[in-house]
Amino acid sequence: MRGITGWGTHLPYPRLDRSTIRGVAGSGGGTGAGTRTVASYDEDTTTMGAEAARGALRGRGDRGDRLQSLWFATTEPAYADRTNATLLHAVLRLDRTIPAYDATGSVRSAMAVFRAGWQGPGSSLVVTSDTRTGLPGGPDEAAGGDAAAALLIGDGEQVLAEIVAWESVTEEFLDRWRTPGAPASRLWEERFGEARYTELGAEALKLALGKAGIAADAVDHLIVAGLHDRAVASIQRASGVSADRITDRLASTVGNPGAAQPALLLAAALEAASPGQNVVLLSLADGADAVVLRTTQALASYRPWRSVRTQAAAGAHLAYGRYLHWRGMLPVEPPRRPEPGRVSAPAAHRNAGWKYGFMAGRGGGGDATSDTVHLPPTAQDDTRTPVADALATIVTFTVDRLSYSLSPPVVFAIVDFDGGGRLPVELTDVDAGEVAIGGRIEMTFRRLATSDGIHNYFWKARPVREELREEPQEK
Amino acid sequence: MASHGIRDRVAIIGMGCTRFGEHWDMGIDDLIVAAATQAFGDAGVTKEDVDAYWFGTAQSAMSGIALARPLGLEGKPVTRVENYCATGSDALRQAVYAVASGAYDMAMAIGAEKVKDGGYQGLNAFPVPGDGTARTVTAAAMFSMVAPAYASKYGVPLADMKTAMARVASKNHHNGARNPRAQFRKEYSVERLCAMPAVAGGLSVFDCAGVADGAAAAIVVRSEDAHRYTDKPLLVKALSLVAGNGSGLGDPNYDYTTFPEVAVAATDAYAQAGITAPRAELAMAEVHDCFTPTEIVLMEDLGLAERGTAWKEVLAGTFDLDGEVPVNPDGGLKAFGHPVGASGLRMMFEAWLQLRGAVPPERRISTYGKRSLALTHALGGYPGEMVSLVSIVGVA
């Protein structure tokens, strides 16, 4: 038996209220209802993917040491030419013999890495992440969302949902396209794409159900992912699966996160599923992929690190102007401070355990009895301890309106980690007014700045939010 | 192992100090020439008479050549010194020790900083290539954490803490207003200072040191030679430098209400100078008031106030020009301005003037004629990670 053994998702904290778009852009915002998620100014597809991947391993209580491959897919890679998955590999502190690969550019690359992970061998971690932009006032801006979702795939009794069939159809036609580097997709007349996707989706679905040996009325959860809304709706209607068994696409809270949507909706469906159910994922992108999964008894006792539902219900309002600024659509007055210098490649490489793995040092000065935890490790420390998953308490803090930041003011705190170690650290996903001495924080992997085209990735702290801590236990 | 000091073995025989401020019309070379020329004239010596030079600049120039070129030195040893905001004080320390060692008869320490050519407000550190994980928060933000920590530890109502901080700024502006070399020569009331908007934690711009260009210089000789140059030499009583190891930043026991590097340097300096009751013995202190809460904490670390009481002493006027122990009678970093490499020597320049009675009556310290010792204190870095240098000089 081979299938999904765990999952992790990351929904960024900022939310754009669609009703605020029209007043500025003059049009757009779709119907104006609901919100979409927005990657914060210090997030990109790599950092969101890292958070989702951390969640997948934490939900499983897994250190990742048995993984045999790591896969990363996005339409918005932070880098071209070099692999982005290697950063996730470093954040997860994986052994160097575990390979990490990207598949970037197309929405369909998400299903490619899922399929590669499924085909094995061994245990694999498949991470999908996307940011969706669109031009101001356009439909993609309102309909899009930013998210990451990671799937753990493996064999044996840990399998929560066995993959029983996977059928794929492929066809060359032009519906949506984007020149690399362009901020927004362009679209052919949508009736053409609707016609193609409706036919291709129906075909893939039929093949997969046939392979699995089940009829449409035996499908307990049908997920239809894809950026063509009309095609998705028409396939849902024509599928033969009743409306109450069709997984909500999170349009009113998250929006459509492109390459992250298939795994995100699969995670949401599995969080709502019971053991022994048929879950079908149909992804429409340059053809169609239909995957039939059957949940196992093990699902009953699995708790994801943070469910899609609780993350979707959280979040904080983001002003439309600030969203436009973060996306590079609205130049604003820059901070009147020198820009940060670029990261040194050899220094970052030497200190990768600290910079990416957030490993503390211990036992400095050759003193084996010393239990002091050093953040960062000192040159004389002889052991390394992972601290990324530890919580910490705010000892004191300050709000800096002078420091260079893409989103001032900088909120900065001195924090003490449970289990030892003190760190002066920048806070994120936070309103300066809500910080208090004694507050609890968790670490999150972020992009601090970019200089010379080099992204400076490191960790920040963010408040531990009660609404995210308490997982709903009912199914 | 011991810190013996070189009490009374070396003396300052002449000093110079430019006005500190926005010198749009002067480069680093002009500032150097101005301060050095004053010092040579003050001591009645020439650049050839000086055997060796120590040139302190944090980030305005590199190497001894940056001093040798503008002064036109021929075949002289020049060392460039950098030690954060203790740069100027450390240049003097090294010149003094060189003379004390017998290696040279006469040495000059000169500090200069050209800050205002940078194009940005505030001080901006020289970027060293790194892994990108260093803190990027400003010094103001780091020091802003001292005020609430201090207030919490000693039960000081936050409003009283803010008033005490404003009182530090008001005092230093009062002193600077009377000093023709100071960057800011305007007085500010406590009420007006309390109403300023915060820029970092609870600090307003007026809780921060002035950022200025400037230079200052001192010439030193063996004490037994000093009277060949001046009737009133300033004897070096103690020099103590501590470079912290940064452990405070990662130490869960560090509480941001004290600077241990300062306390250690002060204890050592008092021992070198034979001082047992600094508050009763010192005529004045020039301290590193980079931010107003810093000066409050320094009063305790330097032994001028009991722990938890400095804020009250500030409010009571203990450290005013006419108080029990005048602190920063020249206006301090706050009002005199802070060209990093020059500041330590600027502090010494004020001790040079005050202890020798060379200031006009309107800005003379209350202790003049009654006490003969002055302390200067420089620190560089942040709470938890700093260098600190305490110097003590005297006219008797």
Side-chain angles (χ1 to χ4, degrees):
Chain A
M1 183 165 63
R2 184 162 178 81
I4 310 293
T5 57
W7 61 87
T9 56
H10 174 75
L11 298 181
Y13 200 64
R15 300 301 151 88
L16 177 63
D17 181 339
R18 295 185 180 108
S19 68
T20 62
I21 295 175
R22 185 178 292 264
V24 177
S27 63
T31 63
T35 65
R36 61 159 288 175
T37 51
V38 179
S40 191
Y41 69 97
D42 55 6
E43 292 184 288
D44 61 17
T45 53
T46 299
T47 65
M48 292 195 300
E51 290 296 310
R54 290 175 69 208
L57 293 182
R58 294 174 83 179
R60 196 76 253 186
D62 186 336
R63 294 200 309 274
D65 45 359
R66 289 185 308 279
L67 286 178
Q68 293 196 26
S69 59
L70 169 66
W71 300 87
F72 178 68
T74 183
T75 70
E76 278 287 331
Y79 287 114
D81 280 0
R82 53 149 298 156
T83 301
N84 297 280
T86 52
L87 273 155
L88 277 60
H89 190 277
V91 167
L92 300 174
R93 306 179 300 278
L94 299 183
D95 188 89
R96 75 170 79 171
T97 58
I98 299 171
Y101 300 113
D102 280 3
T104 63
S106 67
V107 172
R108 201 183 201 195
S109 58
M111 294 308 285
V113 296
F114 185 10
R115 191 173 173 117
W118 169 54
Q119 291 183 333
S123 173
S124 54
L125 178 57
V126 169
V127 185
T128 60
S129 182
D130 217 353
T131 52
R132 306 300 305 174
T133 302
L135 292 172
D140 279 355
E141 175 189 61
D146 302 337
L151 301 173
L152 270 169
I153 300 168
D155 306 288
E157 60 190 25
Q158 286 203 325
V159 171
L160 309 169
E162 182 186 7
I163 296 172
V164 295
W166 187 314
E167 293 297 321
S168 183
V169 295
T170 296
E171 189 175 287
E172 167 59 27
F173 64 98
L174 191 65
D175 167 56
R176 168 183 289 271
W177 69 99
R178 179 152 59 106
T179 310
S185 306
R186 297 171 68 188
L187 297 168
W188 201 260
E189 185 209 345
E190 68 177 356
R191 291 283 298 156
F192 172 60
E194 182 185 358
R196 295 313 313 132
Y197 278 127
T198 305
E199 181 183 331
L200 292 160
E203 183 182 347
L205 187 60
K206 186 177 171 196
L207 287 169
L209 292 179
K211 184 82 173 286
I214 59 172
D217 61 7
V219 174
D220 299 292
H221 301 271
L222 175 64
I223 305 147
V224 186
L227 283 168
H228 199 305
D229 274 346
R230 290 177 66 115
V232 168
S234 76
I235 285 183
Q236 287 175 341
R237 278 194 305 274
S239 65
V241 178
S242 62
D244 61 335
R245 294 183 170 196
I246 292 176
T247 296
D248 174 55
R249 285 159 45 88
L250 306 172
S252 65
T253 50
V254 177
N256 190 328
Q261 192 183 40
L264 181 73
L265 295 183
L266 178 57
L270 291 174
E271 285 164 12
S274 307
Q277 290 191 323
N278 294 313
V279 178
V280 176
L281 168 64
L282 177 64
S283 172
L284 307 179
D286 311 313
D289 284 272
V291 188
V292 180
L293 304 98
R294 184 157 184 86
T295 59
T296 68
Q297 198 55 44
L299 183 66
S301 57
Y302 178 79
R303 293 288 171 270
W305 171 246
R306 257 165 206 168
S307 72
V308 175
R309 186 168 68 175
T310 54
Q311 290 187 77
H317 171 70
L318 173 71
Y320 182 54
R322 196 159 260 212
Y323 160 82
L324 290 174
H325 169 46
W326 288 356
R327 291 302 170 97
M329 301 279 190
L330 180 66
V332 304
E333 178 78 12
R336 291 191 183 182
R337 300 288 293 177
E339 290 191 14
R342 68 178 188 179
V343 174
S344 160
H349 177 253
R350 282 194 302 274
N351 301 335
W354 159 245
K355 182 175 174 65
Y356 306 122
F358 207 63
M359 305 268 274
R362 247 179 224 254
D367 178 3
T369 62
S370 167
D371 203 34
T372 307
V373 177
H374 299 123
L375 299 160
T378 70
Q380 298 188 64
D381 287 342
D382 37 34
T383 61
R384 294 289 183 275
T385 313
V387 187
D389 293 346
L391 301 183
T393 301
I394 295 173
V395 177
T396 185
F397 69 96
T398 189
V399 179
D400 191 352
R401 295 173 202 282
L402 301 171
S403 193
Y404 182 93
S405 173
L406 294 176
S407 189
V410 169
V411 182
F412 194 81
I414 308 297
V415 304
D416 282 347
F417 283 88
D418 300 354
R422 169 175 284 198
L423 181 73
V425 66
E426 187 171 338
L427 267 56
T428 191
D429 292 350
V430 70
D431 182 83
E434 68 176 319
V435 185
I437 289 173
R440 299 280 282 165
I441 62 93
E442 61 186 7
M443 298 307 290
T444 177
F445 188 67
R446 298 294 166 119
R447 185 163 102 184
L448 302 193
T450 299
S451 183
D452 256 1
I454 301 170
H455 305 309
N456 183 16
Y457 292 106
F458 188 50
W459 297 79
K460 290 185 181 179
R462 65 174 196 162
V464 174
R465 299 195 180 277
E466 286 303 318
E467 66 267 30
L468 291 177
R469 281 180 84 180
E470 298 305 322
E471 286 297 322
Q473 296 297 309
E474 80 281 6
K475 281 267 165 129
Chain B
M1 293 197 300
S3 171
H4 299 294
I6 50 148
R7 183 178 174 183
D8 292 336
R9 304 221 305 254
V10 175
I12 298 172
I13 57 161
M15 289 199 73
C17 183
T18 68
R19 186 178 65 77
F20 282 11
E22 293 171 332
H23 286 295
W24 306 117
D25 55 348
M26 291 177 88
I28 182 88
D29 290 0
D30 303 311
L31 294 164
I32 285 170
V33 168
T37 303
Q38 275 186 43
F40 291 135
D42 199 26
V45 302
T46 68
K47 65 186 181 187
E48 284 78 23
D49 295 328
V50 176
D51 301 307
Y53 292 80
W54 275 263
F55 169 49
T57 190
Q59 52 190 41
S60 301
M62 309 267 279
S63 96
I65 295 168
L67 182 73
R69 187 171 43 215
L71 291 187
L73 303 178
E74 301 274 357
K76 297 286 186 184
V78 185
T79 303
R80 183 253 173 140
V81 179
E82 189 285 315
N83 215 349
Y84 276 178
C85 296
T87 293
S89 298
D90 208 358
L92 179 63
R93 172 174 165 273
Q94 294 176 48
V96 166
Y97 282 169
V99 167
S101 76
Y104 302 108
D105 293 332
M106 185 180 293
M108 172 181 269
I110 181 165
E113 210 71 53
K114 181 66 200 175
V115 178
K116 302 301 291 190
D117 278 359
Y120 296 103
Q121 292 187 347
L123 296 173
N124 297 291
F126 192 80
V128 177
D131 69 6
T133 68
R135 293 182 315 284
T136 54
V137 76
T138 59
M142 288 300 288
F143 278 96
S144 75
M145 291 189 279
V146 168
Y150 181 96
S152 163
K153 181 170 180 177
Y154 298 115
V156 186
L158 282 174
D160 290 351
M161 189 68 197
K162 191 163 178 62
T163 304
M165 287 156 56
R167 185 70 171 72
V168 168
S170 176
K171 166 181 74 73
N172 292 349
H173 276 292
H174 169 274
N175 296 349
R178 284 155 183 74
N179 190 336
R181 283 181 169 88
Q183 179 177 21
F184 299 118
R185 304 204 51 206
K186 192 172 166 187
E187 294 192 47
Y188 292 88
S189 68
V190 168
E191 295 69 31
R192 195 170 163 201
L193 291 167
C194 282
M196 302 282 183
V199 293
L203 304 185
S204 79
V205 168
F206 276 76
D207 288 300
C208 308
V211 175
D213 304 324
I219 298 171
V220 296
V221 298
R222 284 184 297 276
S223 297
E224 59 264 35
D225 300 335
H227 287 277
R228 286 157 47 187
Y229 304 98
T230 176
D231 294 337
K232 294 181 184 170
L234 197 58
L235 298 167
V236 177
K237 304 286 183 181
L239 296 165
S240 183
L241 169 67
V242 171
N245 62 15
S247 61
L249 287 173
D251 179 2
N253 295 314
Y254 180 60
D255 68 0
Y256 288 78
T257 67
T258 174
F259 310 132
E261 298 92 337
V262 177
V264 171
T267 301
D268 179 39
Y270 291 140
Q272 290 180 27
I275 291 174
T276 53
R279 180 159 164 166
E281 295 178 60
L282 292 174
M284 58 166 278
E286 282 286 329
V287 306
H288 196 91
D289 56 325
C290 51
F291 303 97
T292 53
T294 317
E295 183 169 321
I296 294 173
V297 166
L298 286 176
M299 294 302 94
E300 299 179 9
D301 287 330
L302 293 171
L304 299 176
E306 296 293 323
R307 292 278 170 209
T309 67
W311 68 280
K312 283 186 211 164
E313 301 275 13
V314 164
L315 292 175
T318 304
F319 310 117
D320 290 358
L321 198 59
D322 59 358
E324 185 183 333
V325 188
V327 171
N328 292 333
D330 65 358
L333 302 173
K334 174 81 269 281
F336 202 114
H338 183 31
V340 177
S343 282
L345 285 154
R346 178 273 300 166
M347 296 173 175
M348 192 57 73
F349 182 71
E350 181 67 2
W352 169 255
L353 297 180
Q354 290 283 4
L355 292 186
R356 296 163 65 256
V359 296
E362 71 269 17
R363 65 176 218 89
R364 180 166 289 163
I365 51 177
S366 62
T367 51
Y368 176 67
K370 291 174 268 189
R371 299 181 185 180
S372 65
L373 297 169
L375 175 147
T376 73
H377 161 263
L379 70 79
Y382 307 97
E385 182 184 61
M386 62 170 62
V387 297
S388 179
L389 205 163
V390 174
S391 310
I392 297 169
V393 290
V395 286

